[in-house]
Amino acid sequence: HIWGKSCTGWVKMVGALPVQEPTIDSLEGDLAHLIGERELLRASGRVFGAIPMVGEIKDGVVVTQEMADVVKVYVEDVLKVMVQGYKALGIEDKIEIPDVHPECFGTCDCWILTNDGILVVWDFKYGHKFVNVEYNPQHTCYASGLIRRLGLPPETKVVFAVVQPRTFTPEGPIRVWNTTAQEIWTASQVMAANAKRAMDLTQATLITGPHCY
C-alpha cells in the first residue's frame, strides 16, 4: 500500500530491518480472520476446517465473546450480498496485481462479483486504528488485480467495504465507498509509477507523513 503514499524509499529502509515477531494484536487479528474465513467457507458450501469457538485457545490467543461478536458483524455483511447470488466469489484470496508491479500481490479478505456485475471488496479489520475506505491504496490494489483477472469493463461499479467494529465512528462499524473500474485503473497507474521508482533504489524518495511510525 506504500505505493499510494509516494514514500518509495520505504522499500529500501524496511529491507534493512529484522523480521518482526508476531504481537498479541497481530495474533488476535489472525485468529479473528481465521474464524471469519471458515464461517464464510461454510456458508458458501466450500470445504472448511474446524471453527474456533468461544473459550478455545489457538497460538496462545483465547477466542473471546467480543471476538466472536466482531467477526459476526463482518460475516453477516458478506452474507447479505452472498445470499442474493453471485457470479464469482473469493475468500482469503491471493490476488496478483500486475498493473501495479509484476511482483505485487495481496490476500483479499473477501470479494464478490454480483449477478448485476458489481464488484464488492471487503476489508475486515479487527484492530482499533481507523482505516479510511475512500481512495484506500490496499483496496485499490486488490480491485486492480480482480478487474484484470475477471476481465471487467471500465464502467463496472466497484464497492469497497471496511468492516471495523472496534473503531467507533459516526458511520458505524461498516464504511462503504463506491467507485468504478476506470477510476481504479487510473489510481493503479499512479501506484505503478511509484512502484517502479521504489524498485529502482536510485530514484526512491522518502516522504514524511502520518504513515511514519
Side-chain angles (χ1 to χ4, degrees):
H1 66 279
I2 210 68
W3 314 140
K5 301 181 185 299
S6 301
C7 187
T8 53
W10 176 86
V11 175
K12 181 178 181 180
M13 292 184 68
V14 78
L17 298 176
V19 177
Q20 295 182 345
E21 294 296 323
T23 65
I24 184 62
D25 288 342
S26 67
L27 290 173
E28 286 179 347
D30 289 344
L31 181 53
H33 275 80
L34 175 66
I35 297 171
E37 175 190 10
R38 292 184 176 176
E39 289 280 9
L40 291 174
L41 287 172
R42 177 171 65 177
S44 64
R46 301 185 183 188
V47 176
F48 64 96
I51 299 175
M53 306 300 291
V54 173
E56 292 186 27
I57 300 175
K58 182 174 177 59
D59 296 329
V61 178
V62 179
V63 180
T64 64
Q65 186 60 56
E66 180 194 20
M67 181 180 290
D69 292 342
V70 166
V71 173
K72 182 179 179 182
V73 175
Y74 163 57
V75 170
E76 288 185 347
D77 194 60
V78 174
L79 292 181
K80 286 191 299 185
V81 178
M82 186 186 297
V83 296
Q84 297 178 43
Y86 52 87
K87 296 179 179 179
L89 163 71
I91 301 169
E92 292 296 330
D93 186 16
K94 181 178 178 181
I95 300 171
E96 296 180 350
I97 312 162
D99 286 339
V100 172
H101 191 276
E103 297 180 34
C104 187
F105 68 91
T107 302
C108 180
D109 295 334
C110 185
W111 62 268
I112 287 177
L113 182 64
T114 71
N115 287 334
D116 294 332
I118 299 172
L119 178 62
V120 187
V121 179
W122 282 270
D123 185 11
F124 172 42
K125 299 295 188 186
Y126 186 70
H128 295 282
K129 186 177 180 180
F130 175 82
V131 175
N132 190 17
V133 68
E134 297 184 13
Y135 301 102
N136 184 300
Q138 180 184 9
H139 306 162
T140 299
C141 282
Y142 292 157
S144 171
L146 288 168
I147 289 165
R148 175 167 288 278
R149 182 202 290 181
L150 300 170
L152 302 178
E155 65 273 14
T156 298
K157 181 180 178 181
V158 180
V159 179
F160 292 127
V162 170
V163 182
Q164 196 172 24
R166 300 172 84 204
T167 295
F168 301 100
T169 68
E171 298 92 337
I174 303 172
R175 297 182 292 281
V176 176
W177 185 56
N178 297 301
T179 185
T180 65
Q182 178 62 55
E183 290 187 90
I184 294 298
W185 183 86
T186 300
S188 71
Q189 296 310 292
V190 175
M191 288 191 285
N194 290 336
K196 182 177 180 180
R197 285 194 293 271
M199 301 308 286
D200 179 357
L201 299 183
T202 62
Q203 298 185 44
T205 57
L206 296 172
I207 304 295
T208 59
H211 55 280
C212 298
Y213 59 91

